[in-house]
């Protein structure tokens, strides 16, 4: 099935470029691996190189590159990811995202805690957008 028809809601609420990135990577992965979870993982890995999840959508990153260890792999495997949060970004950048998402206690958080808190806020925003 073409990626355009399987576009995740968070990507659908994002820029046309994010949508094209996900769709092209998904369709290429389907040709290589077949339809299914692996194609989706590959598409999200490609998306995470240029975009990061902020709330219920994806925004372009200032600098391209993998957002977490999983996205850095040439063939993403099942396992833990940062859920679209750019875990490789600076603490200052993560703090700014946390501020935009109105995360309480952000000034006392470590970088890892900011990544987790942003991930939880993103999940809440995505769930709210589906309602």
């Amino acid at each position: 099935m073409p990626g355009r028809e399987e576009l995740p809601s968070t990507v659908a609420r994002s820029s046309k470029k994010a949508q094209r990135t996900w769709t092209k990577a998904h369709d290429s992965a389907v040709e290589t691996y077949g339809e299914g979870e692996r194609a989706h993982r590959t598409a999200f890995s490609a998306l995470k190189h240029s975009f990061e999840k902020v709330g219920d959508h994806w925004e372009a990153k200032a600098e391209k590159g993998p957002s977490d260890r999983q996205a850095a792999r040439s063939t993403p495997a099942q396992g833990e990811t940062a859920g679209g949060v750019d875990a490789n970004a600076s603490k200052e950048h993560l703090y700014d995202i946390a501020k935009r998402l109105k995360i309480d206690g952000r000034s006392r958080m470590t970088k890892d805690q900011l990544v987790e808190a942003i991930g939880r806020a993103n999940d809440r925003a995505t769930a709210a957008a589906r309602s």
Side-chain angles (χ1 to χ4, degrees):
M1 180 178 296
R4 174 71 46 210
E5 295 175 21
E6 292 191 35
L7 204 63
S9 63
T10 58
V11 180
R13 286 189 289 275
S14 303
S15 70
K16 295 291 181 196
K17 184 173 181 183
Q19 294 176 23
R20 279 193 312 272
T21 299
W22 192 93
T23 301
K24 285 179 77 175
H26 177 269
D27 291 349
S28 177
V30 167
E31 288 178 22
T32 303
Y33 309 121
E35 191 67 52
E37 182 183 344
R38 189 169 184 186
H40 284 267
R41 285 195 317 262
T42 302
F44 274 112
S45 181
L47 184 68
K48 291 176 185 180
H49 274 70
S50 299
F51 297 87
E52 65 183 318
K53 191 171 178 205
V54 179
D56 67 343
H57 64 283
W58 294 82
E59 295 181 1
K61 296 190 323 189
E63 294 182 26
K64 292 182 179 183
S67 58
D68 55 35
R69 278 190 225 117
Q70 190 71 290
R73 295 180 59 151
S74 60
T75 304
Q78 291 178 326
E80 287 295 314
T81 71
V85 178
D86 188 2
N88 291 330
S90 68
K91 184 176 178 183
E92 179 182 3
H93 175 77
L94 293 169
Y95 176 84
D96 290 342
I97 297 294
K99 188 175 182 180
R100 286 178 50 200
L101 296 172
K102 297 179 173 71
I103 295 173
D104 292 330
R106 61 188 171 267
S107 63
R108 296 181 305 276
M109 291 183 184
T110 65
K111 185 175 175 179
D112 288 341
Q113 289 170 328
L114 284 167
V115 169
E116 288 179 31
I118 292 168
R120 287 191 303 271
N122 289 346
D123 291 346
R124 284 191 300 273
T126 300
R130 287 183 185 145
S131 301

